[in-house]
């Protein structure tokens, strides 16, 4: 049986602290499959969600915040206290709040997600801004989306800025990253999902497209959008009509409006 408790660490060379530092700087999972989160609110969200909080690290000045997290976990939390100067070397934010953690997300299967009767999936192709990605995940959860599929070249969902912008949605929304576009399209067709790309000037408004059926909505890179060769492989291309002279929306706004429209149609 795993034992829990609070320990003190003083050296930034400690293997746990080095793993946390690398995960925050690289925005990727550790070899053990844990991702880094920073800030008491995010760690609290992790504890309330179905993720494993492997370890919490707190600055000595944040022990009161740590105690609240330990109480929330009913004593089943492995926590570590470090000197403030050591925590500052770990933190990714400009004004650290003294709390960070390593968490493991649930293992999910893409096929099970796509097999849902009314699957609502987002496919992101080359989205670069981690803040946009985090906001998209938050919108996906807010409007009842099923999953987010990220192609090669899209920013990592474990980037600290993406994690913060998701406000905890990353812990609850299935995210599959590092996929090939061809693989995504094949899986969508295997499970009868209509593939719909969003592009300015498509000539067909998204509101005139049936989003009540199982669908996968595709959003492209900030600035350039979806490549022509990608649009050619999708079942439908639709647009969100805009007033001149605005030509396009950023990825997070486009995804949010598309998800809202899907949710609106499904409610009716």
């Amino acid at each position: 049986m795993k034992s829990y408790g609070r320990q003190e660490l003083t050296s930034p060379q400690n293997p746990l602290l080095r793993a946390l530092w690398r995960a925050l700087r690289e925005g990727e999972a550790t070899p053990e499959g844990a991702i880094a989160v920073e800030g008491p609110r995010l760690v609290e969200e992790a504890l309330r969600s179905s993720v494993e909080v492997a370890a919490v690290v707190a600055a000595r000045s944040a022990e009161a915040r740590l105690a609240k997290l330990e109480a929330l976990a009913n004593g089943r939390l492995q926590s570590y206290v470090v000197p403030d100067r050591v925590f500052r070397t770990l933190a990714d934010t400009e004004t650290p709040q003294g709390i960070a953690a390593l968490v493991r997300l649930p293992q999910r299967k893409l096929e099970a997600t796509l097999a849902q009767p009314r699957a609502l999936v987002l496919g992101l192709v080359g989205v670069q801004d981690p803040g946009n990605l985090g906001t998209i995940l938050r919108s996906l959860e807010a409007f009842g989306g099923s999953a987010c599929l990220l192609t090669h070249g899209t920013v990592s969902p474990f980037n600290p800025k993406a994690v913060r912008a998701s406000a905890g949605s990353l812990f609850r929304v299935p995210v599959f990253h590092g996929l090939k576009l061809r693989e995504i399209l094949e899986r969508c067709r295997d499970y009868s999902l209509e593939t719909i790309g969003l592009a300015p000037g498509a000539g067909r408004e998204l509101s005139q497209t049936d989003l009540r059926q199982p669908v996968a909505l595709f959003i492209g890179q900030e600035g350039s959008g979806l490549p022509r060769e990608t649009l050619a492989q999708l079942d439908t291309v639709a647009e969100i009509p805009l007033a001149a002279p605005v030509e396009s929306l950023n990825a997070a706004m486009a995804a949010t409006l598309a998800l809202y429209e899907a949710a609106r149609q499904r409610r009716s």
Side-chain angles (χ1 to χ4, degrees), residues 114 119-125 149 180-199 202 204 206 209-211 213-219 226 229-239 266:
L114 299 181
L120 174 58
V121 172
L122 267 186
L124 303 185
V125 182
L149 314 182
K180 295 180 180 179
L181 178 63
R182 182 180 64 184
E183 177 186 2
I184 293 175
L185 296 178
E186 288 176 352
R187 292 290 179 273
C188 286
R189 285 162 187 152
D190 286 344
Y191 291 91
S192 301
L193 271 71
E194 179 88 2
T195 56
I196 302 172
L198 294 183
R204 176 177 181 174
L206 186 65
T209 304
D210 185 4
L211 303 178
Q213 61 184 317
V215 295
L217 300 167
F218 286 82
I219 306 290
L226 290 167
E229 57 270 23
T230 298
L231 293 171
Q233 298 178 67
L234 303 178
D235 298 321
T236 304
V237 180
E239 66 175 330
R266 289 169 181 226

Side-chain angles (χ1 to χ4, degrees), residues 7-259:
Q7 299 180 30
E8 291 197 11
L9 300 175
T10 57
S11 172
Q13 301 306 313
N14 177 275
L16 170 68
L17 300 184
R18 287 181 62 83
L20 180 60
W21 182 89
R22 281 196 301 271
L24 284 169
R25 294 302 180 281
E26 297 172 4
E28 294 293 347
T30 68
E32 293 73 31
I35 68 169
V37 302
E38 186 180 343
R41 289 284 298 276
L42 270 178
V43 176
E44 182 175 334
E45 285 287 337
L47 289 169
R48 295 184 187 279
S49 307
S50 57
V51 298
E52 177 193 352
V53 180
V56 175
V57 175
R60 191 171 302 285
S61 60
E63 285 191 85
R65 292 172 180 164
L66 176 60
K68 292 180 180 179
L69 295 172
E70 290 170 333
L72 180 63
N74 295 319
R76 298 177 62 83
L77 187 65
Q78 182 60 58
S79 54
Y80 301 87
V81 176
V82 301
D84 283 29
R85 60 176 176 78
V86 172
F87 192 90
R88 284 192 294 270
T89 67
L90 298 173
D92 179 68
T93 55
E94 292 184 7
T95 54
Q97 298 181 64
I99 298 287
L102 287 171
V103 305
R104 294 188 182 92
L105 301 181
Q107 296 297 311
R108 298 181 170 102
K109 292 187 177 181
L110 177 59
E111 290 75 10
T113 299
L114 299 181
Q116 294 177 17
R118 292 211 303 170
L120 174 58
V121 172
L122 267 186
L124 303 185
V125 182
V127 171
Q128 297 295 301
D129 187 284
N132 275 342
L133 175 55
T135 300
I136 288 170
L137 294 179
R138 193 172 185 182
S139 296
L140 190 65
E141 182 178 30
F143 294 116
S146 307
C148 194
L149 314 182
L150 280 57
T151 64
H152 284 294
T154 298
V155 65
S156 169
F158 309 142
N159 180 291
K161 292 181 180 179
V163 176
R164 289 195 295 273
S166 79
S169 292
L170 175 64
F171 305 141
R172 298 178 291 270
V173 172
V175 180
F176 303 90
H177 67 293
L179 303 175
K180 295 180 180 179
L181 178 63
R182 182 180 64 184
E183 177 186 2
I184 293 175
L185 296 178
E186 288 176 352
R187 292 290 179 273
C188 286
R189 285 162 187 152
D190 286 344
Y191 291 91
S192 301
L193 271 71
E194 179 88 2
T195 56
I196 302 172
L198 294 183
R204 176 177 181 174
E205 292 189 14
L206 186 65
S207 61
Q208 303 303 314
T209 304
D210 185 4
L211 303 178
R212 296 169 297 176
Q213 61 184 317
V215 295
L217 300 167
F218 286 82
I219 306 290
Q221 185 174 359
E222 298 90 344
S224 58
L226 290 167
R228 289 184 179 180
E229 57 270 23
T230 298
L231 293 171
Q233 298 178 67
L234 303 178
D235 298 321
T236 304
V237 180
E239 66 175 330
I240 298 171
L242 304 174
V246 177
E247 295 182 351
S248 63
L249 300 170
N250 78 8
M253 182 61 72
T256 298
L257 291 175
L259 289 165

